[in-house]
């Protein structure tokens, strides 16, 4: 495998989607080519950054629909109630949230400031 071809396969290999003989050929090439190994290391450094990108931040990807999310959550709650009986929680007035203790819930890294 030549470097040009190896470099086109590096991203797929780093993302874990390169398989079969292509995966094996790239591995053999990387064992022998410090330049491509270095490029692979650079790509591996980008993986943590990909985890910070939210899908709705990408061009062409529609933003989440809050109304649809609420509809799905209510459907899931109704399904759960059907399977396990009504929830022991008190119903909340529509459009209002339950109160959250100051500083958030114990053990949670999320806090609410106001």
């Amino acid at each position: 495998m030549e470097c040009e071809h190896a470099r086109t396969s590096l991203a797929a290999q780093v993302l874990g989607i390169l398989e079969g003989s292509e995966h094996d050929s790239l591995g053999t090439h990387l064992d022998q080519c410090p330049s491509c190994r270095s490029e692979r290391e650079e790509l591996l450094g980008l993986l943590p950054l990909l985890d910070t990108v939210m899908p709705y931040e990408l061009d062409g990807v529609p933003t989440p629909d809050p109304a649809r999310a609420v509809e799905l959550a209510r459907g899931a709650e109704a399904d759960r109630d059907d399977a396990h009986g009504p929830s022991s929680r008190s119903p909340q007035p529509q459009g209002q949230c339950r109160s959250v203790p100051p500083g958030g819930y114990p053990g949670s890294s999320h806090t609410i400031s106001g």
Side-chain angles (χ1 to χ4, degrees):
M1 177 179 284
E2 296 194 21
C3 290
E4 186 176 336
H5 183 75
R7 287 188 176 119
T8 62
S9 299
L10 282 173
Q13 194 244 11
V14 165
L15 292 172
I17 58 175
L18 191 65
E19 298 178 342
S21 63
E22 187 78 9
H23 181 272
D24 296 339
S25 294
L26 180 61
T28 301
H29 179 82
L30 290 172
D31 288 342
Q32 301 169 6
C33 182
S35 176
C36 288
R37 277 196 310 269
S38 176
E39 188 163 334
R40 180 181 181 273
E41 292 303 314
E42 287 181 41
L43 288 173
L44 285 170
L46 295 176
L47 284 178
L49 295 175
L50 291 176
D51 289 335
T52 66
V53 177
M54 302 304 293
Y56 58 85
E57 294 175 320
L58 302 173
D59 289 338
V61 176
T63 56
D65 179 359
R68 178 77 175 133
V70 169
E71 177 185 338
L72 291 172
R74 287 183 179 148
E77 184 175 20
D79 290 345
R80 185 182 62 242
D81 288 349
D82 289 345
H84 302 289
S87 174
S88 60
R89 296 181 302 165
S90 302
Q92 297 296 313
Q94 189 147 3
Q96 295 186 9
C97 299
R98 287 184 291 199
S99 62
V100 175
Y105 290 105
S108 173
S109 62
H110 302 286
T111 58
I112 297 178
S113 59

